[in-house]
Amino acid sequence: MGWLKQIIFFYRDGFKQMRVGKQLWVIIAIKFFLFFVVLKLFFFPNILQTHFSNDTQRADFVLEHLMKH
Amino acid sequence: MDHTLLVELSRAQFALTALYHWLFVPLTLGLSFLLAIMESIYVRTKNPEWKKLTKFWMTLFAINFAIGLATGIILEFEFGTNWSNYSWIVGDLFGAPLAIEGIMAFFLESTFFAVMFFGWEKVSPKVHLLSTWLVAIGSNLSALWILVANGWMQHPVGMEFNLESARFEMKSFADVLFNPNAISKFLHTIGSGYVMGSLFVVGVSSWFLLKNRHRLFAKRSIIVGASFGLLASLFLLATGDESAHRIAQSQPTKLAAMEGLYDGKRRAGIVAIGQLNSLKKIGDTQDEFIWSIEIPYALSFLGFRNIDAFVPGIDDLVLGNEKLSIESAQSKLDKGKIALDALRDYKEAQHIGDIPRKEEALALFRSHEAYFGYGYLDKPEKIIPPIALTFYSFHIMVGLGSWFLALFFFVLYFSMIGKIETKKLLLYAGLFSIPLGYIAGEAGWIVAEVGRQPWAIQGMLPVGMASSHIDAVSVMITLGLFAIIFTALLIAEVKIMLKQITIGPEEA
């Protein structure tokens, strides 16, 4: 388990010593919240995943779309 | 809501996201290699000044990387929502490259990036240097998988359309990976990143020299930046030539639009600079240009490695040219409609259980599969991409690329003879070339993507058929949201970057 501790301390010390990095991590956190929580959940559903329960239905829907033109 | 408006809004949203994403990527690609070179000099010379220098550029690299991180994920969100049909159709092909890219990026970022930023005093100089090189190589390999996917959209190979699953299924991973369009695109794209990284180092160093600050640091940086930039510019020239050669083989409409060439000819020249005649229409006798300066024979050579070769123009590609066996767009549209009817017939025969009719329909579909996408176009002229945007973007890219080559040459020359500090005009040119690098990169992507229109997948699927039927208002809202979020990120990057540059290498 010594190596695991070493890795944890490596990251912990690295984060502690950051200067401009702290500001960057705040930006990354805000950005991830906006992307993965706000945008993904409220604005970007995966249409075929949410509207159909299996791949056969998805394939049929896309084929219908391709053929009805 | 009009489907055309929806498609245009989805395209605008994707274009905005991709263009903003590309503001962050090239600096990561280029600066990562420059860091590796600078650190290699430090490890070899053991001169702490080179360590200080590497750490300064590494801080700027970190700022760019952090702000740009995950901006590309938005494109994947858009695939699932705005382009769900496209996503489904190409899922089998894109799944593997994009999954490899995701896994590679994750492991790379969580291990080697950490060693590179946190490990200066924790690991040996050689292990640290290895991490820096691996970050550079890994970042560039990460781009490979994205560009393999994009190269396939430009020139679909190694696949077959499955009429049951409505998907293009991979028949040969090697054909997809070693698709010549993908390879030339990858090399040209990373080359543009190297030039961008070099412009950044030269530009910022020029600013230090103009301000008479950190002169030794700036002169050392400028030599590394200009040397790498000069080599990268030559590499860009060679890969650009190969890219254009590939386009001539597989996307002749794009090449014709890039050069504003309506009337095809043998011994065709390249228009070095010119103004398109906006009144020119397909098949008429008006001049293509108001004025232009041409390099004789160059387009025939670029496209076909033969100065006598015939380069088809827009008129030839739309109206056809019997003498040279160039098929008309109308003929392709007719074959596309046969493929489309065969698909319908196949599904109907399958529904009623008529096996012989189903097999006959499948055979007819396969014999016209290469024209499948044309069946969705209503007019032959629709095969031509927007000419003015493609032409001017291409010429802006090439013009700026030529300028960068000259800039790196003169900056390196005056640096080597020790007179760079006295060349104020050249230093200002270096500084103001930073934004020009971004303009050139974006122009290149406009050529690649606008020049591919009307196709999402060249010849196989037009963008109109690739998009989802969703509410156009929600696309307008997200388009506005993206514009706000990405602009805020860009302002943050510029502000933090400027602050850090102003502090200088002492505090890096």
Side-chain angles (χ1 to χ4, degrees):
Chain A
M1 293 300 279
W3 59 271
L4 190 63
K5 254 186 185 172
Q6 272 188 325
I7 292 174
I8 293 169
F9 288 156
F10 177 80
Y11 278 88
R12 189 199 63 187
D13 295 347
F15 282 117
K16 264 187 184 173
Q17 286 162 13
M18 283 192 307
R19 287 190 294 261
V20 66
K22 282 184 182 139
Q23 196 179 5
L24 296 176
W25 275 108
V26 172
I27 292 172
I28 289 171
I30 295 170
K31 188 169 57 172
F32 275 25
F33 175 77
L34 286 173
F35 286 2
F36 292 102
V37 179
V38 179
L39 290 174
K40 183 63 187 160
L41 288 185
F42 297 105
F43 294 100
F44 286 97
N46 187 313
I47 302 281
L48 294 178
Q49 286 297 330
T50 49
H51 289 197
F52 303 100
S53 54
N54 61 53
D55 279 356
T56 310
Q57 289 177 354
R58 290 178 195 116
D60 287 344
F61 172 80
V62 174
L63 270 173
E64 275 300 314
H65 171 74
L66 291 176
M67 289 191 301
K68 87 177 169 199
H69 181 80
Chain B
M1 186 80 62
D2 180 12
H3 185 63
T4 311
L5 174 66
L6 173 65
V7 173
E8 292 306 314
L9 282 169
S10 291
R11 281 185 62 202
Q13 188 184 69
F14 199 87
L16 177 87
T17 320
L19 289 173
Y20 262 108
H21 179 54
W22 192 250
L23 288 175
F24 305 107
V25 177
L27 195 55
T28 299
L29 295 177
L31 203 48
S32 60
F33 268 111
L34 283 155
L35 292 177
I37 293 167
M38 290 168 183
E39 194 179 336
S40 297
I41 299 172
Y42 160 62
V43 171
R44 197 172 167 81
T45 62
K46 296 188 174 52
N47 180 347
E49 288 299 314
W50 281 98
K51 182 178 179 182
K52 196 165 77 177
L53 185 145
T54 308
K55 283 179 114 175
F56 171 76
W57 294 110
M58 202 172 272
T59 305
L60 301 187
F61 173 83
I63 295 166
N64 179 67
F65 183 84
I67 308 272
L69 186 68
T71 48
I73 201 83
I74 299 294
L75 297 169
E76 289 191 32
F77 292 173
E78 289 170 22
F79 279 137
T81 303
N82 305 54
W83 306 99
S84 61
N85 294 319
Y86 166 84
S87 276
W88 177 262
I89 290 167
V90 301
D92 186 59
L93 275 150
F94 281 20
L98 295 182
I100 294 170
E101 193 274 332
I103 292 165
M104 188 177 265
F106 174 77
F107 283 108
L108 180 86
E109 283 151 25
S110 57
T111 49
F112 298 118
F113 265 78
V115 176
M116 191 170 98
F117 287 111
F118 301 156
W120 281 106
E121 315 305 330
K122 308 260 179 181
V123 296
S124 73
K126 283 188 179 168
V127 170
H128 193 275
L129 176 63
L130 179 69
S131 299
T132 309
W133 274 106
L134 286 174
V135 165
I137 293 165
S139 304
N140 281 261
L141 279 181
S142 194
L144 170 71
W145 300 108
I146 301 289
L147 292 161
V148 162
N150 188 276
W152 184 84
M153 290 165 69
Q154 313 282 345
H155 180 49
V157 289
M159 54 78 199
E160 186 177 78
F161 188 71
N162 183 324
L163 277 65
E164 302 294 334
S165 64
R167 284 187 142 160
F168 283 108
E169 291 181 349
M170 199 180 306
K171 292 288 161 200
S172 163
F173 182 67
D175 283 355
V176 174
L177 181 59
F178 299 111
N179 176 356
N181 286 52
I183 300 292
S184 62
K185 195 169 214 353
F186 168 66
L187 295 175
H188 194 57
T189 304
I190 58 169
S192 75
Y194 302 160
V195 168
M196 188 61 240
S198 305
L199 285 170
F200 183 75
V201 170
V202 168
V204 173
S205 304
S206 296
W207 181 79
F208 279 122
L209 289 178
L210 286 165
K211 291 279 170 192
N212 206 18
R213 290 178 57 194
H214 311 291
R215 288 168 49 234
L216 188 59
F217 155 86
K219 283 195 283 187
R220 281 179 169 147
S221 297
I222 233 169
I223 286 180
V224 175
S227 308
F228 189 64
L230 186 61
L231 291 173
S233 291
L234 293 170
F235 178 70
L236 204 56
L237 194 69
T239 54
D241 171 75
E242 180 56 23
S243 251
H245 176 63
R246 296 309 320 167
I247 288 169
Q249 319 301 311
S250 54
Q251 295 176 296
T253 49
K254 184 193 274 187
L255 185 74
M258 280 157 64
E259 275 301 301
L261 181 70
Y262 280 78
D263 193 12
K265 56 185 101 157
R266 291 188 192 282
R267 300 184 176 191
I270 283 181
V271 175
I273 187 167
Q275 184 185 354
L276 287 168
N277 177 1
S278 59
L279 300 174
K280 171 77 180 159
K281 298 270 183 286
I282 294 170
D284 73 12
T285 53
Q286 291 194 65
D287 288 337
E288 293 156 341
F289 291 92
I290 307 283
W291 60 269
S292 64
I293 299 169
E294 202 177 282
I295 305 167
Y297 312 132
L299 190 59
S300 286
F301 185 77
L302 183 85
F304 302 96
R305 303 293 186 241
N306 175 359
I307 60 164
D308 288 322
F310 180 85
V311 181
I314 290 160
D315 290 352
D316 305 285
L317 295 163
V318 173
L319 306 172
N321 185 329
E322 272 185 44
K323 232 193 286 180
L324 291 158
S325 307
I326 296 172
E327 188 175 11
S328 71
Q330 185 59 55
S331 163
K332 291 180 180 175
L333 261 63
D334 293 341
K335 288 178 183 171
K337 290 193 194 318
I338 292 172
L340 203 48
D341 285 340
L343 172 64
R344 291 190 191 105
D345 202 31
Y346 175 89
K347 294 311 283 186
E348 200 181 312
Q350 185 181 44
H351 185 64
I352 59 173
D354 187 341
I355 305 295
R357 184 177 156 196
K358 186 179 151 185
E359 284 174 1
E360 199 181 318
L362 180 62
L364 186 61
F365 179 83
R366 289 282 175 239
S367 63
H368 291 78
E369 188 177 356
Y371 300 93
F372 182 55
Y374 289 90
Y376 295 107
L377 304 181
D378 54 3
K379 287 184 211 157
E381 310 87 88
K382 290 275 177 78
I383 68 163
I384 302 300
I387 296 166
L389 185 54
T390 311
F391 172 84
Y392 288 116
S393 300
F394 175 63
H395 285 77
I396 287 170
M397 176 188 73
V398 173
L400 288 174
S402 309
W403 159 244
F404 302 147
L405 182 66
L407 176 76
F408 290 132
F409 175 81
F410 287 113
V411 168
L412 185 60
Y413 173 74
F414 288 113
S415 297
M416 297 306 279
I417 62 169
K419 289 189 175 174
I420 189 67
E421 284 173 277
T422 61
K423 303 292 172 189
K424 300 284 182 207
L425 200 61
L426 192 59
L427 292 173
Y428 276 113
L431 177 60
F432 291 112
S433 289
I434 297 177
L436 296 181
Y438 287 104
I439 291 170
E442 301 289 11
W445 274 109
I446 291 171
V447 176
E449 303 306 299
V450 173
R452 194 190 59 229
Q453 299 305 312
W455 308 109
I457 305 166
Q458 182 76 30
M460 303 304 280
L461 188 74
V463 285
M465 294 307 293
S467 75
S468 316
H469 286 274
I470 52 172
D471 184 13
V473 176
S474 74
V475 183
M476 279 186 211
I477 293 170
T478 47
L479 180 61
L481 272 175
F482 284 154
I484 295 166
I485 293 171
F486 282 120
T487 306
L489 286 174
L490 189 62
I491 292 170
E493 160 141 1
V494 172
K495 278 186 84 168
I496 300 171
M497 196 81 98
L498 287 178
K499 188 179 164 195
Q500 206 60 32
I501 291 169
T502 311
I503 292 169
E506 300 302 336
E507 299 296 323

